[in-house]
Amino acid sequence: MTSIPAGLARALDTALDRSVVLGYTRIGSGLRRRFWAADPPAGALLGKHVVVTGATSGIGEAMALSFARLGATVHVLGRTQKKIDTVLADVRTQVPAAQVVGELCDVSDLDAVRAWCADLVGRVGALHGLVHNAGVLPPERQESAQGHEMTLAAHVLGPHLMTELLLEPLRAGGRDGGATVVWMSSGGMYTSGLRADDLQYVQGEYDGVRAYARTKRMQVVLADAWAERLRESGVTAASMHPGWAGTPGITDSLPGFGKVVGPLLRTAEDGADTAVWLVATRPSAPGTHHFWHDRRTRPTTYPVQKKDDREQVADFLGQVAELTGTEAWPATVLR
């Protein structure tokens, strides 16, 4: 039940979103909690399986804890066994009845993704949530095991391949109450248009922050394509941004920004909220895009920005399929 009239709530929500600083910080979520959509009910994910990548710190670890509290069996995926074990112990301490499973996989390594997905499919019949949260922000250009630029591999190619290879358990989850795939994007994606002409970032001087923003834009486009492809399957796909949260991704990779905005940064739990809510409640997305923040869909471009050209989107999606060796996109997605 909202404590603010609906019209005023919409106006306030839009003003917060457009202001960026207010909407992305703890001020925005603090105000929106007075009128945003209801929390998932207790036990909403009881008996359900949810995979969270990049779950060994920050927002990913917060998601693992939140999913466990809702009753899910949480598959905590990370690159380092020691960190995975630490998260499992922490979650079990806070939620004694938690069902948590450690999963070792480097999302940027396509061969590792193939091997891990084959193993998971043999262990899990139905998957109800898949959150692509793993992220990197390298200071200089690096390449993955297959020679792909690292942010592209970790944010786009690996998650796309993982989604493709887990379609069987996801569709089973879709038949069993529904399944949701979420890409954890970033508000930084607003600073970049889609660059289908230079996916591997070989043109010009490399900038890690720019590479991060470019691939976060790609995630939004990719999520929309998956949403269209999975229409009527019982599986929904979405992307979201967490606002500005005080996690290692901010404090370590952007220390200057963290110091300036520090007092206003959200907690990791706050940043994780919308992803958990999307998986637990499976809301429908109005319109043709599926980009969320603070439990509402948001524009994918600012008014002064051009929308992504459909030919460039089709080019981008075709390259992603080719680079991952996955099925070509159906015409309904590309048109």
Side-chain angles (χ1 to χ4, degrees):
M1 182 70 68
T2 180
S3 59
I4 298 177
L8 177 59
R10 286 193 296 271
L12 176 59
D13 180 73
T14 299
L16 288 168
D17 192 57
R18 300 300 185 270
S19 73
V20 178
V21 173
L22 294 178
Y24 289 15
T25 60
R26 63 175 62 192
I27 295 172
S29 55
L31 287 172
R32 285 171 174 145
R33 286 180 191 280
R34 298 183 61 189
F35 54 79
W36 70 16
D39 293 340
L45 294 172
L46 192 64
K48 310 294 187 182
H49 287 261
V50 178
V51 171
V52 182
T53 74
T56 56
S57 66
I59 290 174
E61 183 175 2
M63 277 192 281
L65 180 59
S66 294
F67 283 130
R69 285 175 171 153
L70 289 171
T73 296
V74 188
H75 297 262
V76 176
L77 189 147
R79 294 182 299 171
T80 306
Q81 190 64 52
K82 183 177 180 180
K83 290 184 177 180
I84 293 170
D85 292 341
T86 298
V87 172
L88 298 184
D90 288 347
V91 172
R92 288 169 179 149
T93 297
Q94 298 185 63
V95 186
Q99 300 295 314
V100 283
V101 182
E103 306 285 357
L104 185 65
C105 180
D106 181 349
V107 176
S108 73
D109 184 337
L110 302 186
D111 290 338
V113 170
R114 291 186 182 95
W116 176 78
C117 286
D119 178 64
L120 185 73
V121 169
R123 292 184 280 123
V124 176
L127 185 60
H128 303 85
L130 172 59
V131 184
H132 295 302
N133 175 69
V136 295
L137 202 167
E140 56 188 31
R141 193 179 186 283
Q142 299 175 15
E143 293 187 349
S144 69
Q146 287 73 38
H148 301 301
E149 190 276 320
M150 187 59 74
T151 62
L152 177 72
H155 301 160
V156 180
L157 302 182
H160 171 73
L161 178 62
M162 186 177 292
T163 304
E164 183 85 41
L165 295 177
L166 295 180
L167 277 180
E168 181 180 340
L170 282 168
R171 286 189 169 122
R175 294 188 295 270
D176 179 31
T180 303
V181 184
V182 181
W183 275 262
M184 181 64 72
S185 184
S186 164
M189 74 97 189
Y190 284 114
T191 66
S192 176
L194 181 64
R195 288 291 305 272
D197 63 322
D198 187 24
L199 258 62
Q200 302 282 4
Y201 208 142
V202 295
Q203 300 175 14
E205 184 177 356
Y206 185 84
D207 183 309
V209 173
R210 186 177 296 277
Y212 182 88
R214 283 167 53 158
T215 53
K216 289 299 174 178
R217 164 67 68 178
M218 293 175 193
Q219 287 183 322
V220 174
V221 175
L222 190 60
D224 281 351
W226 270 107
E228 180 62 33
R229 177 176 170 183
L230 295 173
R231 189 184 299 276
E232 311 300 333
S233 71
V235 183
T236 60
S239 58
M240 60 151 292
H241 80 84
W244 295 337
T247 66
I250 291 289
T251 57
D252 293 349
S253 300
L254 302 170
F257 177 81
K259 289 180 180 179
V260 172
V261 189
L264 296 177
L265 291 177
R266 299 180 177 209
T267 64
E269 292 75 16
D270 198 355
D273 175 84
T274 295
V276 175
W277 177 81
L278 284 167
V279 172
T281 66
R282 304 188 69 250
S284 59
T288 58
H289 70 83
H290 308 79
F291 183 56
W292 297 77
H293 172 58
D294 281 350
R295 304 191 186 187
R296 277 194 62 182
T297 54
R298 306 291 170 180
T300 56
T301 55
Y302 286 133
V304 296
Q305 290 179 301
K306 293 183 178 179
K307 293 185 177 181
D308 295 320
D309 178 81
R310 290 308 305 172
E311 289 187 4
Q312 192 168 102
V313 169
D315 184 11
F316 161 68
L317 294 174
Q319 289 184 67
V320 169
E322 182 178 358
L323 291 172
T324 54
T326 52
E327 181 180 337
W329 293 91
T332 54
V333 173
L334 299 178
R335 67 183 178 211

